[in-house]
Amino acid sequence: MARPYVCLLTLAAVLLLGIATVSRSKGLRGKGKGHQRAPRIPSQFSQEERVAMKEALKGAVQIPTVSFSAEELNTTALAQFGEYIHKVFPTVFKTSFIRHEAVGEYSHLFTVQGSDPSLQPYMLLAHIDVVPAPDEGWDVPPFSGLESDGFIYGRGTLDNKNSLMAILQALELLLIRNYIPRRSFFIALGHDEEVSGVKGAQKISALLQARGIQLAFIVDEGSFILDGFIPNLQKPFAILEQTPMPNMFGGGPFKMALQQLANEFPFPTNIVLSNLWLFQPLVSRLMERNYITNALVRTTTALTMFNAGVKVNVIPPVAQATVNFRIHPAQTVQEVLKLAKDIVADDRIQFHVLNAFDPLPVSPSDDQALGYQLLRQTIQSVFPEVNIVAPGTCIGNTDSRHYTNLTTGIYRFNPIYLQPQSFSSIHGINEKISVQAYETQVKFIFEFLQNADADPRPVPHLHEL
Ligand SMILES: *[C@@H]1O[C@H](CO)[C@@H](O)[C@H](O)[C@H]1NC(C)=O
Ligand SMILES: *[C@@H]1O[C@H](CO)[C@@H](O)[C@H](O)[C@H]1NC(C)=O
């Protein structure tokens, strides 16, 4: 993901340890009834396949596909990466119903033709490029892909070569088992996500729009299975800004997520969360006390650059500051700009918007939302210990912003456990993924692809019965 300060789920699967209640709600049912189709392929992999799987990821990490800036990409590495995926996923490239195209030279688009053209296609996204990683501070060199204590280390192991490799790996394994998809899908792998996605994702999107494609949904990187993210009120983090943007709690999907989570909490939290009409001010204050949940309730402000002066003995005539805002879904660029001007309240200071776009629309998460329901169903089967799946907000931009014309459902979810302390390794030091977590990610996609082929029958509205 591009410059994530905090990325909390568009789709959050929240694990609440020690609570026995399992709230399993209605989901898509593809099994059992309905007409006969090819039997389900079990997600069981041989020892040999499991070794090949992790070695393939290590090899991907070793290719330094760094985006230094929008103008400076390591094109040698990007070209090498294209050759690499041909080599490790030969079946994907030679299957007759899969079309591969290089877009913008280094990005890749796969069109997987399903057997049933009446089903609306979907798309999986991942990206090839990574942010730079100087050696300093790392336990192992960042492009070594070394394995240690059950973890594969290296830049891109969480962002986002894990997703990229897992998607192609799961497809390769399914194809080897003679899988024939029913629903068509696309796989789009951008090569400049970390620096805008203009050369990759934007071009792929334009190509698909020109072909008149409309997608049922998109699944992209973004959030994780969050373990221990429920605000820890014992150890609140300080809020650094003296004049933060207003608290917008209640304006985005996060409030809905909390309401869905309410029953999973012990007394008295369950009562509080079930009665947000009364306790909203309290909850929103508590959210502010942790830097991660704070980013869910307001637009965040980060002063990223400050320049003034050219010489020690000359008073600088001009000073310039660059501020990066992550805009809350309930606000717009213009509203944030106006607030910033009002806070500064000094007409000697000029404001220039360098680059901005309004928050993406909130994707559907109701019973009829196919992408959401497929994710929920797959989470519940691959992670049976996760007892609730809830929608949330992803703070941090990804390539999916280029695809808003193609679908109304964009879900950003990485099927991987993430503890709060691992957040900083993404774009930081010692980024790593456990071998087991990576295998599970492959398994997740393996299951997801098959779930997407199940009957898209509408889910009954239980409350209407
Ligand atoms: C770019 O990638 C090539 C090929 O993988 C590598 O040898 C080279 O060191 C990389 N350059 C930089 C500046 O990272
Ligand atoms: C979406 O479609 C509109 C109308 O065709 C076009 O002007 C706009 O550039 C497209 N946006 C993206 C992100 O592709």
Side-chain angles (χ1 to χ4, degrees):
M1 68 199 80
R3 285 153 271 134
Y5 287 172
V6 180
C7 188
L8 278 188
L9 55 158
T10 281
L11 185 85
V14 179
L15 171 69
L16 299 162
L17 291 168
I19 297 164
T21 356
V22 174
S23 87
R24 200 173 279 272
S25 79
K26 59 248 172 185
L28 291 184
R29 276 151 244 256
K31 294 170 249 163
K33 296 173 214 149
H35 48 253
Q36 281 310 112
R37 277 189 310 280
R40 180 106 186 168
I41 306 170
S43 51
Q44 282 153 8
F45 312 124
S46 68
Q47 187 53 32
E48 209 180 0
E49 285 172 334
R50 293 171 57 207
V51 171
M53 206 183 275
K54 71 174 181 181
E55 294 305 320
L57 178 62
K58 291 179 195 173
V61 172
Q62 286 160 4
I63 305 172
T65 49
V66 176
S67 287
F68 296 97
S69 69
E71 295 74 39
E72 200 189 348
L73 314 176
N74 187 337
T75 50
T76 314
L78 288 170
Q80 201 183 334
F81 199 88
E83 291 161 22
Y84 181 73
I85 54 175
H86 270 84
K87 192 181 87 188
V88 292
F89 305 118
T91 321
V92 170
F93 284 89
K94 68 168 197 239
T95 293
S96 60
F97 56 79
I98 301 181
R99 173 180 179 196
H100 167 254
E101 294 164 275
V103 181
E105 216 164 328
Y106 306 108
S107 287
H108 299 270
L109 174 65
F110 297 86
T111 305
V112 183
Q113 194 64 54
S115 61
D116 185 346
S118 73
L119 299 178
Q120 193 179 17
Y122 64 99
M123 180 155 75
L124 304 178
L125 299 187
H127 63 89
I128 304 168
D129 63 323
V130 295
V131 293
D135 283 348
E136 292 83 49
W138 283 71
D139 294 344
V140 304
F143 295 101
S144 63
L146 277 179
E147 184 178 341
S148 167
D149 289 334
F151 283 86
I152 298 168
Y153 279 76
R155 177 60 85 230
T157 49
L158 289 175
D159 181 14
N160 174 245
K161 285 178 175 166
N162 58 317
S163 298
L164 186 155
M165 294 300 284
I167 292 168
L168 295 178
Q169 184 72 70
L171 181 57
E172 176 83 9
L173 289 166
L174 277 166
L175 293 169
I176 289 170
R177 290 157 170 77
N178 299 316
Y179 164 72
I180 297 178
R182 224 178 130 212
R183 184 187 292 275
S184 297
F185 61 97
F186 297 89
I187 299 171
L189 311 176
H191 73 273
D192 63 341
E193 190 270 354
E194 297 291 359
V195 288
S196 70
V198 169
K199 294 177 179 154
Q202 199 174 76
K203 287 213 164 79
I204 296 176
S205 177
L207 185 67
L208 293 174
Q209 287 179 59
R211 289 179 186 165
I213 305 286
Q214 275 295 310
L215 299 166
F217 62 89
I218 287 176
V219 180
D220 188 13
E221 61 163 338
S223 98
F224 297 84
I225 298 180
L226 304 176
D227 190 358
F229 276 85
I230 298 305
N232 181 344
L233 305 180
Q234 311 311 318
K235 293 184 219 153
F237 288 81
I239 299 174
L240 298 179
E241 298 124 23
Q242 287 179 346
T243 45
M245 288 286 160
N247 187 319
M248 304 298 290
F249 180 74
F254 190 57
K255 179 176 170 185
M256 196 161 71
L258 280 182
Q259 283 166 333
Q260 291 188 18
L261 291 171
N263 290 336
E264 308 295 325
F265 284 89
F267 179 82
T269 316
N270 56 348
I271 303 298
V272 171
L273 294 182
S274 310
N275 292 284
L276 288 177
W277 60 274
L278 179 61
F279 294 113
Q280 177 155 331
L282 170 71
V283 175
S284 89
R285 292 298 303 166
L286 293 175
M287 289 289 155
E288 294 181 335
R289 295 176 63 189
N290 172 307
Y291 79 106
I292 292 172
T293 45
N294 181 44
L296 289 171
V297 299
R298 62 160 44 82
T299 292
T300 58
T301 309
L303 180 63
T304 53
M305 295 201 281
F306 190 87
N307 297 302
V310 287
K311 221 161 170 285
V312 285
N313 57 353
V314 177
I315 305 273
V318 178
Q320 206 170 42
T322 307
V323 181
N324 185 324
F325 294 104
R326 298 268 146 195
I327 302 178
H328 188 276
Q331 278 181 323
T332 64
V333 171
Q334 286 311 317
E335 283 165 7
V336 170
L337 186 62
K338 165 113 189 11
L339 279 161
K341 284 181 177 164
D342 291 350
I343 289 167
V344 171
D346 184 334
D347 51 15
R348 291 171 302 171
I349 296 172
Q350 296 171 9
F351 288 78
H352 302 281
V353 176
L354 298 177
N355 181 357
F357 52 93
D358 287 326
L360 301 187
V362 175
S363 297
S365 59
D366 57 278
D367 291 353
Q368 308 303 313
L370 180 67
Y372 183 81
Q373 294 301 339
L374 287 172
L375 282 168
R376 179 215 286 274
Q377 181 191 352
T378 314
I379 291 165
Q380 286 177 340
S381 72
V382 177
F383 301 96
E385 71 285 7
V386 169
N387 50 17
I388 192 157
V389 178
T393 305
C394 188
I395 300 150
N397 289 305
T398 63
D399 266 350
S400 40
R401 69 176 142 137
H402 295 296
Y403 294 101
T404 48
N405 276 357
L406 290 161
T407 185
T408 53
I410 295 179
Y411 304 97
R412 298 194 284 172
F413 176 65
N414 244 319
I416 290 187
Y417 275 91
L418 194 75
Q419 279 77 34
Q421 60 271 30
S422 308
F423 253 146
S424 55
S425 74
I426 298 174
H427 293 205
I429 58 169
N430 291 327
E431 186 178 343
K432 62 178 193 276
I433 189 169
S434 78
V435 171
Q436 200 231 318
Y438 180 62
E439 271 179 25
T440 308
Q441 185 161 17
V442 173
K443 180 181 155 115
F444 185 92
I445 294 160
F446 194 98
E447 294 288 343
F448 185 88
L449 295 176
Q450 296 192 80
N451 287 340
D453 287 339
D455 280 334
R457 278 189 294 128
V459 177
H461 284 277
L462 295 189
H463 51 267
E464 284 171 12
L465 296 179

